[in-house]
Amino acid sequence: MAIRRALISGVVSVLAAVSLVSFTSTGVAQADSQVVYVHSASMNKDIPVKILRAAGDGPAPTLYLLDGLRAPDNDNGWLINTDVEAFFADKRVNVVIPFGGGGTFYSDWERPDPKLGVVRWETFLTKELPAVMAASYGSDGVNNAIAGLSMSGTSALNLATHRPDLYKAVASYSGYPTASSPGFAQGIQVSVAQMGGNPLNMWGLWPSGSWLRNDPLLNVGALRGKAVYISSGAGSPTSDPTVNPASSKFDAVKFAQMVPLETAAGLSSQLFVPALRAAGVNPTVRITADGTHWWNYWQARLHESWFSTIGPALGA
């Protein structure tokens, strides 16, 4: 029991540390891309969305790419920190990158929140936005995938289990797919609170309310027949001297930002993979000792998941 309590306490602490992550710009540009404002009737506001149009002519598959816990309202971490625009410039796929959603887990909340307002991101991402993409931006409306990192790795898996009719592929990079498990649930609550939201307004009182619906582990059977990619590091700091306590370049702040969170993601992902296989899902898995909770790692996993899992599933 003492070991279990220590693990739960540690998970809560490291998930709370996500609030320290910051963004830096890459300055990458793409010619055939645009930011559009898509109205969400369910949230009664316009959502900025960066659309990277598919190479070639005619309808194309669509990949929805979600941001992390501290998603800014006027940009997206994938655009700020990775080569996503250059990477997809020659790919036969529309890439849809919404702005905002920080601290919401991209879900439909049970109640309006004093800070975050009416939160209906699941409705926006699975109904409102796909309809606009099909009507105006070249989505074929059939071949869809969704992917996310950290907070939104959990979200991507949830959305795919809730709407298996919509998505053919899903990828989680350093996500927490055991969302309602002790320790991980408390870490999620702390993370939401750090973004100003009341976690009771999100999924209710743990472990009742919507917690069980929003736990990928408990709904894993819905992913049967889908292409699934699961990745995380195990938090080993040896690949980066700035987060290696034995190195003269050790940076304690970076360590707190990048290592414990990835350790927790690794634990959660390792628990999730056997459940996938038991449910008849054959996932592509990249769980390694190295890798930290940061954008260079997620960029590499995005590339890998595109070629191994998402692209083939979409016929792209």
Side-chain angles (χ1 to χ4, degrees):
M1 288 298 294
I3 293 174
R4 182 179 179 84
R5 285 195 299 269
L7 175 59
I8 291 174
S9 176
V11 170
V12 172
S13 298
V14 298
L15 287 178
V18 75
S19 65
L20 298 174
V21 175
S22 59
F23 301 109
T24 56
S25 177
T26 61
V28 176
Q30 166 151 339
D32 193 13
S33 66
Q34 58 182 312
V35 174
V36 301
Y37 288 82
V38 179
H39 183 71
S40 170
S42 63
M43 292 188 277
N44 193 29
K45 64 179 180 180
D46 294 336
I47 307 293
V49 179
K50 184 68 173 281
I51 300 173
L52 313 181
R53 298 295 293 269
D57 298 321
T62 302
L63 168 62
Y64 296 86
L65 198 55
L66 306 180
D67 206 347
L69 179 73
R70 297 186 62 81
D73 291 331
N74 60 351
D75 213 329
N76 183 291
W78 288 106
L79 296 167
I80 300 168
N81 296 286
T82 77
D83 67 350
V84 62
E85 294 190 70
F87 178 73
F88 283 107
D90 63 347
K91 307 293 190 296
R92 183 70 183 143
V93 63
N94 299 303
V95 183
V96 181
I97 307 175
F99 297 178
T104 68
F105 277 79
Y106 292 105
S107 62
D108 282 2
W109 284 31
E110 291 190 352
R111 290 175 292 276
D113 186 79
K115 171 66 174 179
L116 300 179
V118 175
V119 181
R120 292 287 184 271
W121 273 95
E122 179 174 338
T123 297
F124 177 70
L125 290 168
T126 62
K127 297 179 180 179
E128 296 169 342
L129 185 54
V132 171
M133 285 301 302
S136 304
Y137 295 102
S139 173
D140 64 16
V142 176
N143 296 292
N144 301 298
I146 190 163
L149 70 305
S150 192
M151 175 192 84
S152 67
T154 311
S155 307
L157 290 167
N158 274 330
L159 294 173
T161 63
H162 297 167
R163 288 294 307 275
D165 60 311
L166 181 61
Y167 304 108
K168 292 189 173 181
V170 57
S172 169
Y173 318 115
S174 305
Y176 304 94
T178 55
S180 70
S181 298
F184 293 99
Q186 284 68 51
I188 287 172
Q189 290 173 318
V190 170
S191 299
V192 171
Q194 288 184 336
M195 294 301 293
N198 183 340
L200 292 175
N201 292 329
M202 185 171 71
W203 298 336
L205 184 66
W206 176 83
S208 59
S210 301
W211 279 94
L212 303 186
R213 179 179 183 268
N214 287 288
D215 187 337
L217 180 66
L218 301 181
N219 300 286
V220 68
L223 296 175
R224 194 176 297 115
K226 307 302 174 185
V228 179
Y229 179 93
I230 304 294
S231 73
S232 73
S236 171
T238 57
S239 60
D240 184 346
T242 64
V243 294
N244 186 346
S247 170
S248 60
K249 299 180 180 179
F250 177 65
D251 183 328
V253 174
K254 283 188 68 176
F255 180 92
Q257 292 174 342
M258 298 167 63
V259 174
L261 283 167
E262 197 65 20
T263 300
L267 288 170
S268 186
S269 297
Q270 288 178 71
L271 290 170
F272 186 59
V273 169
L276 281 169
R277 290 172 174 155
V281 181
N282 184 27
T284 301
V285 180
R286 178 65 175 256
I287 300 176
T288 62
D290 64 341
T292 52
H293 211 72
W294 199 244
W295 290 98
N296 60 336
Y297 182 73
W298 299 323
Q299 174 179 285
R301 299 290 77 79
L302 173 64
H303 291 191
E304 181 179 86
S305 64
W306 171 256
F307 291 116
S308 70
T309 308
I310 300 171
L314 297 182

